[in-house]
Amino acid sequence: MMTCTEQSLYYRQWTVPRFYHMDSSNRTEGRTDNFHPRRLLLSGPPQVGKTGAYLHFLGLLSRMLIRLMEVDIYDEEDIHCTAQVDGSQYHPPNAIWPNTDVIKTMPFDYTIHDPKYDDISIVYCPGFRADGHCMRQEDVYLRRRTARIKLSKYAAYNTYHHCEQCHQYLGFNPRYQMFESTLHAFTFTHLLLGEEIQLYFIIPKSKEHYFSFSHPGGQLESMRLPLTSDWSPDCIKSPIFMPTTGRHEHGLFNLYHAMDGASHLHILVVKEYEMAVYKKYWPNHIMLVLPTVFNGAGIGAAHFLIKELSYHNLELERSRRLEGGSPAGDVWPFIILADDSCVMWNAVDNDKLSCPAERAVSLKQVLQHMEACPDLAQYSLCGIRKWNSRGLTGIKRWEPFSRGHVHDFLLLSVDRSQNIQYDQNRFTCHDVDFTLRLHSAGLLVCKFNNFSVMKKQIAIGGYRTFIIKTKMTDVSTSVGPSQYICAPDSKHLFLASPAQLLLEKYLQHTSQKLFPLSTKNYTHPVLSVDCYLNLGPEVTVCFVSSRPHCVNINTAGLLFSGLLLCFPDTFVTSGFLKKFTFLKGATLCVISADRSSLRQTVGRLELEEQWRFRLSDEFQTANAKEDRPLYFLTGKHI
């Protein structure tokens, strides 16, 4: 009796395709048996049920293939949609470009509408009507509403997608050896940090034409940027940066189909300890490796370094172009900051606004449309809508462009936003904080509502996954938010998590106790100076900037229930704070890097004149001294 392998070898003698058959050339390189890897042989004695088994197998295979063509997409309606200031129509519904003069007259929408931020503090805006809705969630992105959507031909894919068109894109190029890439150091001095920053680029041989190297020596000098006047129907001008962590298999880094054949510069931004595994799974992708000190950092650090590197590179490219005789100001100043879960893109059909509908489009079409905006140089930050199945249904007034918060898929001018940095220490809500500071500086933010992005649910990895554990790793214990802080010099269970993360999580979960007068009290928000921090959904935050010539909301007649000062700099003065009025018993919270600067801040701002402090009101994050805890002091308004 023959074994299964012997039967297979025997019967396959008659399964070799003849020269005239379409499969005659389908041989797998490197295999001695010449059996096609996707050709199956079903053998058995007569009347045993081969036909039924074959049909059943085809049914299973069909369902499996259909399942592979569908993904879970976040399908949630915008939150806090009662925040419209008025019912004015600013742009014609079928407008394809924003009018800069019109955009400047539009009120900035301070309210956050992205459903992923359903559990954060509302940003105070005079025209907003609070609906009383608030939701406190843990791991909110794992419990959000999704819909199963079939992938379009313009989808982005993870490492499990294999098709013959993608082979060269993924690194299967006969001209280059597999994994053939080089590591290049790139160093620049950052004035704000006062120190040199050294990053590393992993550049495949097939992508070296995107960079400029010194001769001789081959040292990396800069990343090549096009001119503003350059245009090609098969090219994207903006470099695409995609920060990622823990998603080497599941991140959507294959943009071959999404780009519809367009040439583009795509850079994965990875942490140093994950460099090897990302390089293994994506050998033909350019990677920017963050410094070792940022291994435990959050998304704020990644965006901070991307933006600062891009501005430094812009200056280098301007110098290089000047040497070549081109005007320095003509170098393209925009970059793309994209989330690693963006899977598909859609566009509103302007010809059918009487019956609004969205259609799938390529990422190439979205980017080329935005890059072709006549007044794009006037904008500091642009973004697009988040998709939901409700779409445009029920919208009485369609506004193709708006001013407000943008998330997950950003077109950023590193030139116009030069003086506004992402907070490198932030783990949560860094984009909300950045957008508020950008707007307060008088810079334009525009959302292209004619486009929307679909985000795939990826339950693995990502920058929203936080692990808070004790330094005693052999002790298994759950740590509640109240244990994230302690009194200075006290005996307490120290935690092995960054101080900034502990502070942000503590404020998010316990601020209703820290700011008792602010809880569910929209008309008396907490005043937050130069910084947005999430104080939980029960507390409203009013953001103001202390910078000269800044744009702030009118706070006349507004009584605040608290004051939050997070690392206040010299622009914050006692005279500036005296412009605001507080309820009796309002809470003050001052945050500093150490106890000495905490006391200096209290003295410099003359806080003891209006606020009462007690020794027991001083706290620190639950970190050991070598982990540099943060300190904060609370007080009550007299």
Side-chain angles (χ1 to χ4, degrees):
M1 181 115 181
M2 290 191 293
T3 65
C4 293
T5 303
E6 291 170 338
Q7 285 187 52
S8 175
L9 291 171
Y10 176 75
Y11 286 113
R12 283 182 188 270
Q13 295 178 76
W14 295 280
T15 60
V16 178
R18 300 298 178 99
F19 69 92
Y20 52 79
H21 195 274
M22 63 176 293
D23 281 340
S24 61
S25 61
N26 278 346
R27 306 294 191 199
T28 304
E29 295 181 8
R31 293 178 64 109
T32 58
D33 52 20
N34 281 333
F35 296 154
H36 195 281
R38 291 189 293 275
R39 189 174 294 131
L40 305 175
L41 173 67
L42 179 63
S43 64
Q47 300 299 314
V48 77
K50 292 188 294 297
T51 303
Y54 164 73
L55 293 174
H56 179 67
F57 171 74
L58 283 185
L60 293 175
L61 185 62
S62 175
R63 286 194 293 272
M64 183 184 73
L65 292 175
I66 292 173
R67 175 68 177 83
L68 290 175
M69 294 172 63
E70 295 178 338
V71 291
D72 291 320
I73 304 293
Y74 288 121
D75 182 15
E76 304 159 307
E77 295 183 23
D78 286 354
I79 58 174
H80 308 309
C81 289
T82 56
Q84 301 297 337
V85 175
D86 54 47
S88 303
Q89 180 78 50
Y90 293 93
H91 289 87
N94 60 350
I96 61 172
W97 306 116
N99 184 310
T100 307
D101 294 330
V102 173
I103 287 286
K104 290 178 180 178
T105 66
M106 298 178 71
F108 182 82
D109 188 357
Y110 286 86
T111 309
I112 299 146
H113 300 291
D114 194 316
K116 76 176 181 181
Y117 284 142
D118 204 18
D119 61 340
I120 71 170
S121 300
I122 297 173
V123 182
Y124 179 82
C125 183
F128 179 73
R129 298 187 302 276
D131 55 10
H133 172 77
C134 67
M135 183 181 299
R136 182 175 291 279
Q137 298 183 20
E138 291 293 334
D139 300 325
V140 64
Y141 73 105
L142 291 176
R143 297 210 297 256
R144 289 159 53 189
R145 178 184 169 188
T146 60
R148 292 204 61 77
I149 303 293
K150 184 179 179 180
L151 292 170
S152 73
K153 66 177 182 178
Y154 302 121
Y157 291 95
N158 58 25
T159 191
Y160 296 108
H161 172 78
H162 299 283
C163 72
E164 294 177 0
Q165 295 95 328
C166 287
H167 274 202
Q168 183 173 335
Y169 179 83
L170 294 174
F172 304 101
N173 190 330
R175 290 181 55 194
Y176 305 102
Q177 292 294 321
M178 190 71 166
F179 303 110
E180 188 178 357
S181 59
T182 52
L183 184 70
H184 296 271
F186 190 84
T187 305
F188 65 97
T189 302
H190 189 268
L191 297 177
L192 185 66
L193 297 179
E195 60 185 25
E196 283 193 342
I197 299 176
Q198 186 174 61
L199 306 170
Y200 288 95
F201 277 96
I202 298 176
I203 306 175
K205 290 290 184 182
S206 59
K207 303 293 178 67
E208 287 185 348
H209 61 280
Y210 288 112
F211 296 85
S212 175
F213 299 92
S214 63
H215 299 286
Q219 296 294 319
L220 176 62
E221 289 188 335
S222 67
M223 184 168 59
R224 294 180 181 272
L225 296 175
L227 297 177
T228 303
S229 55
D230 291 345
W231 187 84
S232 169
D234 297 315
C235 185
I236 301 298
K237 291 193 283 190
S238 307
I240 302 170
F241 290 91
M242 198 173 282
T244 178
T245 180
R247 289 180 174 172
H248 45 275
E249 292 184 271
H250 299 278
L252 306 179
F253 311 130
N254 182 345
L255 302 183
Y256 178 82
H257 300 283
M259 282 298 182
D260 196 20
S263 173
H264 62 282
L265 175 56
H266 183 200
I267 301 172
L268 304 186
V269 183
V270 302
K271 296 184 177 182
E272 186 266 342
Y273 73 94
E274 295 179 297
M275 173 180 65
V277 69
Y278 272 93
K279 185 175 180 292
K280 174 185 175 182
Y281 280 88
W282 301 94
N284 202 40
H285 275 55
I286 302 168
M287 295 184 193
L288 173 62
V289 183
L290 301 178
T292 307
V293 294
F294 290 100
N295 274 345
I299 184 64
H303 278 175
F304 168 82
L305 287 173
I306 292 169
K307 182 176 177 296
E308 298 311 303
L309 166 71
S310 298
Y311 181 76
H312 180 72
N313 183 73
L314 177 65
E315 293 290 287
L316 292 174
E317 280 292 282
R318 284 172 171 171
S319 298
R320 189 175 68 85
R321 293 282 187 173
L322 272 177
E323 293 173 1
S326 300
D330 284 350
V331 179
W332 184 254
F334 287 90
I335 64 171
I336 299 291
L337 293 173
D339 190 88
D340 60 2
S341 63
C342 296
V343 62
M344 287 183 285
W345 292 262
N346 299 279
V348 175
D349 198 335
N350 286 320
D351 298 329
K352 300 179 180 179
L353 284 177
S354 57
C355 183
E358 290 186 273
R359 55 186 172 84
V361 295
S362 65
L363 176 56
K364 166 189 170 180
Q365 182 175 334
V366 174
L367 292 180
Q368 286 189 337
H369 182 93
M370 296 176 74
E371 289 179 348
C373 177
D375 297 322
L376 187 63
Q378 301 297 315
Y379 299 95
S380 296
L381 181 65
C382 298
I384 60 179
R385 284 186 301 116
K386 188 73 63 67
W387 175 89
N388 66 70
S389 58
R390 186 171 179 264
L392 310 182
T393 306
I395 296 180
K396 298 178 181 178
R397 179 180 59 84
W398 170 246
E399 184 60 57
F401 307 98
S402 57
R403 295 179 71 188
H405 294 274
V406 288
H407 314 275
D408 298 322
F409 190 82
L410 312 174
L411 181 65
L412 173 68
S413 170
V414 296
D415 189 28
R416 294 193 68 86
S417 64
Q418 172 192 355
N419 297 319
I420 309 296
Q421 286 83 27
Y422 281 101
D423 188 338
Q424 62 171 327
N425 299 308
R426 293 296 292 270
F427 286 82
T428 61
C429 305
H430 77 295
D431 51 349
V432 176
D433 174 67
F434 178 74
T435 304
L436 289 172
R437 288 187 286 110
L438 205 66
H439 168 69
S440 69
L443 301 175
L444 285 182
V445 180
C446 180
K447 182 189 288 187
F448 285 64
N449 294 319
N450 283 330
F451 295 110
S452 65
V453 59
M454 290 178 162
K455 288 190 63 184
K456 178 182 176 181
Q457 183 187 47
I458 305 176
I460 297 173
Y463 273 99
R464 296 196 74 183
T465 303
F466 308 115
I467 299 175
I468 295 178
K469 58 184 179 181
T470 65
K471 294 202 69 139
M472 299 174 63
T473 54
D474 56 328
V475 178
S476 177
T477 178
S478 60
V479 183
S482 61
Q483 294 178 282
Y484 296 169
I485 66 161
C486 62
D489 303 322
S490 64
K491 293 183 178 180
H492 190 82
L493 183 66
F494 288 139
L495 304 177
S497 299
Q500 179 74 27
L501 174 59
L502 294 179
L503 177 69
E504 290 180 30
K505 285 299 178 180
Y506 173 78
L507 292 176
Q508 175 186 348
H509 292 284
T510 63
S511 57
Q512 68 272 23
K513 298 179 181 177
L514 191 61
F515 297 97
L517 297 183
S518 311
T519 304
K520 297 182 180 179
N521 191 355
Y522 182 82
T523 56
H524 300 297
V526 172
L527 179 67
S528 184
V529 180
D530 294 329
C531 173
Y532 172 87
L533 281 170
N534 176 21
L535 302 180
E538 298 91 352
V539 176
T540 302
V541 170
C542 179
F543 174 89
V544 295
S545 173
S546 64
R547 299 306 191 260
H549 314 296
C550 61
V551 178
N552 283 326
I553 65 170
N554 183 8
T555 59
L558 191 60
L559 289 173
F560 293 100
S561 58
L563 172 62
L564 179 62
L565 300 173
C566 186
F567 306 111
D569 57 22
T570 53
F571 287 103
V572 183
T573 64
S574 60
F576 173 79
L577 295 179
K578 287 174 182 176
K579 297 178 183 178
F580 306 100
T581 309
F582 297 88
L583 294 171
K584 184 178 181 180
T587 304
L588 165 70
C589 181
V590 186
I591 302 168
S592 291
D594 53 67
R595 300 179 76 177
S596 174
S597 59
L598 196 62
R599 293 181 175 86
Q600 289 173 10
T601 299
V602 171
R604 180 176 66 84
L605 299 179
E606 303 172 358
L607 295 175
E608 291 180 310
E609 292 183 7
Q610 297 186 16
W611 303 86
R612 183 180 69 251
F613 301 100
R614 297 179 304 177
L615 290 175
S616 59
D617 291 335
E618 186 176 342
F619 303 94
Q620 71 166 69
T621 55
N623 299 102
K625 286 185 178 180
E626 61 269 20
D627 295 330
R628 302 176 66 179
L630 297 178
Y631 294 82
F632 67 94
L633 178 68
T634 62
K636 296 293 182 181
H637 196 267
I638 301 173

